[in-house]
Amino acid sequence: MNAYVASVIENVKKKYGHEPEFVQTVEEVLSSIAPMVDKHPEYEKADLLNRMVEPERMFTFRVVWTDDNGQAHTNTGYRCQFNGAIGPYKGGLRFQPNVTPSIMKFLGFEQTFKNSLTGLPMGGAKGGSDFDPAGKSDAEIMRFCQSFMTALYRYIGPDIDVPAGDMGVGGREIGYLYGQYRRLKGVWENGVLTGKGFTYGGSLIRPEATGYGAIYYLQEVLKHEGDSIEGKRIAISGYGNVGWGIMKKAAELGAKVTYFAGPDGYIHDPDGVVGEKLDYILEMRAKDPMHCKPYADKYGVEFVPNAKCWGVKDVDIYMPAATQNDVRMESAEKIAASGVKYYIEVANMPTTNDALEFLRSQKHMIVAPSKAVNAGGVAVSGLEMSQNSERLVWTAEEVDEKLKGIMKVIHQMSVDAAEEYGLGYDLVSGANLAGFKKVATAMMEQGLF
Ligand code: 2IT
């Protein structure tokens, strides 16, 4: 490997060894882009890579809120403004008890290249809190969001940094966050957040965009292989916003999700999650997001407790859409042995590095990386920003057409970048190379900082 790339990876391991998820993504991305660094000796002179692995700015803040009994609680809030070379910082907020600086940095780093791939002017960021939304009342959620925004509002803005949702942050939370921003600033700057409700500037299709985009990307992969989505059976993990969008779009296009896994086990529904079952998923999730077994009880299908559906043979496509490091070596071996051809990552970094390398080395498999596959979500966030700044509203059809076009271009850019480096149809390297190139060029042109 390129000596400069190797030295930067070593540096990050030494300095940030206590941040395993961050080290993991740095290793994955930098080893992919090493061939480009070979061709650009000027990168080392400008120390481009050490600059790129250091967030431009990252801060924590105290978030105090009171529960419904009047008891005060204290959480840590984060915002990691990783890279602003190609646009205002942009990325989601995650509210989950396991949020750490490492998780914030890995997500911010990934977001930088993902946003670059969308072709829209957005830098990379991530934020959130170790707050646990599970079991909180609506009033508690509101007070938490108000307190969170009170600490954050000075550091964001439509041309500065534009947060959105991620795990634990959906339309309801964005609404409370936006209300507090408007109240504190006394301005109508709805471009400060995306994923808003439609009545105050949200974009149509945004809630479904990540899942829809993943299916549009999958269609491009299938087209490349002379195949089509019609009749395909898909196994996914996760049935949150993203998983749900996959189920819905797959059903619309004549495919079906026949396996889905949740925290308590997995469901096998040979007829697929289609029709009114899609509504039931929403209902079930709203009642209790930690259990998918009620689906099996209601529809009389198989439920396998405390297991993941990685390795099942009667599917055509795997799409991990739950969370990071969901697929480890043990699952990857089962996936490879199943003979299934397509492994399409959806959640951010759903595969450990060794498992990903192993799957990529399987001659019978095609592996697609999450930073390309799930970029439709943030792409539609970019479209929401455009609509807000233009003070106009696009129809669902207009947004959906643009989303389709963006996913097609992301796939093609990845194909072209991999080919340029003689790598063949390598979607993982291609996405890293294409995403990296734009950010690198912008940083080189903007001088040292
Ligand atoms: O991981 C992601 O791309 C997101 N959570 C969405 C970010 C956004 O700004 O829409």
Side-chain angles (χ1 to χ4, degrees), residues 91-365:
L93 299 172
R94 179 175 290 192
F95 292 171
Q96 207 174 45
N98 69 0
V99 160
T100 59
S102 173
I103 301 242
M104 295 287 98
K105 282 174 69 177
F106 118 65
L107 289 164
F109 191 69
E110 283 283 296
Q111 198 80 42
T112 300
F113 304 106
K114 177 199 314 197
N115 293 4
S116 165
L117 280 171
T118 66
L120 301 172
M122 299 182 288
K126 208 79 192 193
S129 175
D130 58 358
F131 173 71
D132 186 359
K136 302 292 187 295
S137 71
D138 199 65
E140 288 169 335
I141 296 285
M142 181 182 75
R143 287 193 295 272
F144 179 81
C145 289
Q146 290 176 335
S147 183
F148 186 92
M149 183 53 86
T150 303
L152 185 62
Y153 84 102
R154 292 166 208 279
Y155 310 105
I156 60 176
D159 295 315
I160 302 169
D161 181 357
V162 183
D166 194 84
M167 296 164 81
V169 178
R172 173 180 64 167
E173 290 74 17
I174 292 293
Y176 293 143
L177 290 164
Y178 180 63
Q180 185 70 356
Y181 181 86
R182 189 167 71 77
R183 183 181 180 197
L184 289 164
K185 285 203 79 173
V187 291
W188 182 263
E189 281 179 349
N190 64 351
V192 69
L193 291 170
T194 62
K196 298 182 294 294
F198 187 59
T199 56
Y200 59 100
S203 177
L204 291 169
I205 307 285
R206 177 63 190 93
E208 303 90 343
T210 310
Y212 283 15
I215 292 288
Y216 295 150
Y217 184 98
L218 169 65
Q219 282 186 292
E220 294 303 311
V221 174
L222 292 166
K223 207 190 303 166
H224 180 273
E225 296 302 293
D227 205 342
S228 92
I229 192 149
E230 188 80 12
K232 291 284 182 292
R233 298 154 305 169
I234 307 174
I236 71 174
S237 61
Y239 52 100
N241 238 356
V242 178
W244 189 80
I246 289 172
M247 291 167 170
K248 183 150 184 270
K249 186 52 76 177
E252 257 174 57
L253 297 173
K256 55 192 180 187
V257 170
T258 52
Y259 286 87
F260 69 93
D264 56 334
Y266 73 82
I267 298 280
H268 178 209
D269 182 352
D271 297 329
V273 187
V274 297
E276 62 112 8
K277 292 175 189 167
L278 286 162
D279 300 325
Y280 181 68
I281 296 265
L282 297 180
E283 201 182 299
M284 175 176 83
R285 213 171 64 194
K287 260 189 229 145
D288 172 9
M290 298 308 282
H291 296 89
C292 62
K293 185 175 177 293
Y295 182 99
D297 298 339
K298 185 169 167 74
Y299 295 109
V301 297
E302 187 187 4
F303 170 74
V304 181
N306 306 316
K308 301 182 179 199
C309 53
W310 308 132
V312 295
K313 291 188 173 62
D314 50 347
V315 294
D316 306 290
I317 299 152
Y318 283 113
M319 297 181 88
T323 190
Q324 67 270 359
N325 293 331
D326 179 13
V327 176
R328 297 171 178 275
M329 201 53 184
E330 184 199 341
S331 299
E333 280 167 355
K334 289 184 193 159
I335 288 172
S338 74
V340 171
K341 178 173 177 182
Y342 299 102
Y343 180 76
I344 311 291
E345 290 190 334
V346 186
N348 292 311
M349 202 167 75
T351 321
T352 60
N353 284 358
D354 57 343
L356 185 63
E357 211 169 298
F358 172 75
L359 290 170
R360 289 174 70 191
S361 75
Q362 300 299 305
K363 293 277 180 288
H364 69 285
M365 291 187 72

